Amino acid sequence: MIYRTFKDKELSLLGFGAMRFPLLEDGSINEEEAARMIDYALKNGVNYIDTAWPYHNETSEFVTGKILSKYDRNSFYLATKFPGNIPREVYNAKEIFEAQLAKCQVEYFDFYLLHNVNERTIGTYLDPRWGIIDYLKEEKRNGRIKHLGFSCHGQMDLLEDFLDKYGDVMEFCQLQVNYLDWTLQNAKGKYELLEKHNIPMWVMEPVRGGKLAVLRESEEAKLKAVRPDESIASWGFRFLQDLPNVGMILSGMSTMEQVEDNIKTFSEYKPLSEEERNLLLDLAEEMKKSIPCTACRYCTKGCPMQLDIPMLLALSNEYRFSPNPVKEKINALPEDKRPDKCIACGACMHVCPQNINIPEELRKLAEAVA
């Protein structure tokens, strides 16, 4: 197992994400199989388990705690998150935190995160009525939180603002990073921003919920021609293993086969060559080309609604891979800047060098989001 040093801890670079446990026919977690998978992971060097309040219809923390209660508490590191991303009338930080300790059957959390800091949730986390961050800082002083961090699906400017305010408090940041989002969601820029703030990055969605583990036949053939003995999923993990500021790569595993394959990938360091990294980035560019916008911004100058058309088209491309995060991003926009405010005047089409039917694309995006 590859390990990375974080302060006084040696963390397995592969973390077990408890968001995609195997399921029974009724939709509940297959606890027996989940326990077998976690047991295999722990025995093969994985020592970081990540769960959260909303996972599996709010049952993941219960099941994770039940499984881990059979192991020495010092043999694993447990992470969970404050559910500020779930709408509530009142956020009682103490009540929520105590409930999580009880559900997970532990007396402290090794790692604790603000869950999904973004344009919609930032108001909750900063609302003085709830005092969420102040409470969590106090629990860190009390030793019931060993390390405090946050996950983020927000835009670059929000991430930068949050780090400017709380970069001295947050010890790590969990972001969606993979070779597709390296440019699609500007993960590269976010990675560099965290480096500037000296904050290590935890990775979520390294293979995009499995979408980068099963590619089109022609795409898989290109990868197999170079590394015939490695799985398609391993390429996504190898891409991230090369990044020195990555301290943790989480994988939500649903089958024992995925656990075994991931542990094989993380059992030894096999860095990608420059040519192999470029091959992945070229594949990503092809995946993104459903709408061939080059962001020249000719279209924005004559738009009577003053819409940021390139940004909206980029979100339309992204929607294929991440519908829910895109919906959140669009709903966070001012109402008069959303795709449904396009009046289909056609001014943008007359100046588009790529001959994109922009009104039609915005209409489809608006319908999808609705």
Side-chain angles (χ1 to χ4, degrees), residues 68-284:
L68 292 178
S69 68
K70 299 178 175 63
Y71 298 87
D72 184 334
R73 182 64 182 88
N74 295 317
S75 66
F76 61 86
Y77 299 115
L78 179 61
T80 194
K81 310 169 186 74
F82 186 88
N85 59 326
I86 300 176
R88 296 170 180 260
E89 291 186 4
V90 175
Y91 292 88
N92 186 319
K94 177 177 174 58
E95 182 180 284
I96 290 169
F97 185 76
E98 296 290 352
Q100 290 178 296
L101 288 172
K103 288 195 292 182
C104 291
Q105 301 184 43
V106 293
E107 295 182 352
Y108 65 90
F109 292 113
D110 302 282
F111 295 85
Y112 196 86
L113 301 83
L114 302 178
H115 200 167
N116 193 4
V117 175
N118 64 19
E119 288 75 8
R120 181 180 61 82
T121 64
I122 188 67
T124 296
Y125 287 120
L126 301 186
D127 194 323
R129 291 178 298 170
W130 316 134
I132 295 170
I133 295 177
D134 287 340
Y135 175 80
L136 298 180
K137 287 165 60 178
E138 180 64 26
E139 288 300 346
K140 185 182 174 185
R141 286 190 290 269
N142 293 337
R144 298 207 294 174
I145 293 173
K146 303 302 182 183
H147 301 287
L148 181 61
F150 69 107
S151 66
C152 181
H153 283 287
Q155 301 288 351
M156 184 76 165
D157 55 350
L158 179 135
L159 176 60
E160 190 161 18
D161 288 345
F162 189 77
L163 289 173
D164 287 341
K165 290 184 178 73
Y166 293 103
D168 60 333
V169 175
M170 299 296 155
E171 299 175 80
F172 62 102
C173 174
Q174 189 164 301
L175 292 175
Q176 178 171 312
V177 185
N178 49 68
Y179 64 83
L180 175 61
D181 288 315
W182 196 241
T183 52
L184 183 62
Q185 291 196 12
N186 195 20
K188 180 177 185 291
K190 295 173 182 177
Y191 173 85
E192 292 169 348
L193 178 63
L194 290 177
E195 275 193 316
K196 186 179 78 172
H197 283 265
N198 295 313
I199 295 178
M201 182 173 75
W202 271 215
V203 172
M204 55 183 162
E205 301 293 354
V207 290
R208 271 285 187 143
K211 291 182 174 65
L212 299 181
V214 181
L215 305 179
R216 289 180 294 190
E217 186 176 344
S218 60
E219 295 167 337
E220 291 195 2
K222 292 178 181 179
L223 301 184
K224 284 294 185 182
V226 180
R227 294 195 177 205
D229 296 328
E230 294 212 43
S231 67
I232 299 303
S234 72
W235 281 80
F237 295 120
R238 298 283 185 215
F239 178 84
L240 297 163
Q241 289 173 3
D242 289 338
L243 301 174
N245 197 44
V246 170
M248 171 61 53
I249 302 173
L250 293 168
S251 178
M253 295 170 266
S254 303
T255 66
M256 181 60 82
E257 289 74 22
Q258 291 172 357
V259 179
E260 292 171 345
D261 184 60
N262 287 350
I263 287 175
K264 177 184 176 184
T265 298
F266 283 83
S267 65
E268 57 181 322
Y269 181 53
K270 293 183 179 180
L272 299 180
S273 66
E274 183 178 354
E275 291 78 11
E276 289 171 332
R277 288 183 68 84
N278 288 335
L279 173 57
L280 285 181
L281 293 174
D282 288 343
L283 287 179

Side-chain angles (χ1 to χ4, degrees), residues 21 33 43 49 56 58 60 133 143 151 202-203 220 227 244 266 268 294 329 347:
F21 278 139
E33 184 64 8
K43 287 179 178 176
I49 313 294
H56 285 290
E58 303 187 359
S60 177
I133 295 177
S151 66
W202 271 215
V203 172
E220 291 195 2
R227 294 195 177 205
F266 283 83
E268 57 181 322
T294 62
K329 290 175 184 178

Side-chain angles (χ1 to χ4, degrees), residues 285-318:
E285 289 304 310
E286 290 301 315
M287 294 176 191
K288 289 157 49 181
K289 284 183 178 176
S290 56
I291 302 175
C293 175
T294 62
C296 67
R297 305 197 69 83
Y298 295 161
C299 56
T300 61
K301 296 175 182 176
C303 176
M305 306 306 292
Q306 298 183 332
L307 299 179
D308 188 341
I309 295 170
M311 180 269 291
L312 293 172
L313 293 181
L315 288 176
S316 185
N317 278 335
E318 185 182 340

